[in-house]
Amino acid sequence: MQALEKKLISITSERQLTIPQEFYMLLGFENEAICTLVDGALIIEPASHVPSGEFDDFIKSGVNTRDFSSEMKRPVYLNF
């Protein structure tokens, strides 16, 4: 997965960080976020975009989540 945009942010001594406003607005963050540890990376997503527990069993099964994420972004063509 290639980053579209990166920004260096600070982490306070209380382990708090600030999501850059541009990212916050673009991704639709509100008052909660979901943090997931995947392959040594911390992924922070708006809580409103992630149904609670929907993929927990799938992730625990050992699926490579980066490959899955890329696969889910591919267009699907249906023939009727």
Side-chain angles (χ1 to χ4, degrees):
M1 179 187 309
Q2 185 177 7
L4 299 176
E5 187 171 348
K6 287 184 181 182
K7 292 193 183 224
L8 180 64
I9 59 174
S10 299
I11 302 173
T12 70
S13 59
E14 291 85 25
R15 299 181 316 275
Q16 296 175 339
L17 53 89
T18 300
I19 299 170
Q21 183 176 7
E22 178 183 348
F23 293 176
Y24 185 92
M25 300 298 290
L26 180 68
L27 296 171
F29 278 92
E30 293 177 2
N31 61 343
E32 292 185 317
I34 302 292
C35 294
T36 309
L37 186 60
V38 178
D39 297 329
L42 180 63
I43 298 173
I44 303 173
E45 301 172 88
S48 59
H49 293 182
V50 181
S52 178
E54 185 172 334
F55 296 106
D56 289 351
D57 291 338
F58 185 70
I59 292 170
K60 288 177 188 174
S61 73
V63 68
N64 181 320
T65 52
R66 288 180 191 225
D67 290 344
F68 177 72
S69 178
S70 297
E71 199 62 29
M72 292 299 291
K73 291 177 184 172
R74 287 183 35 201
V76 175
Y77 300 97
L78 302 174
N79 294 319
F80 292 99

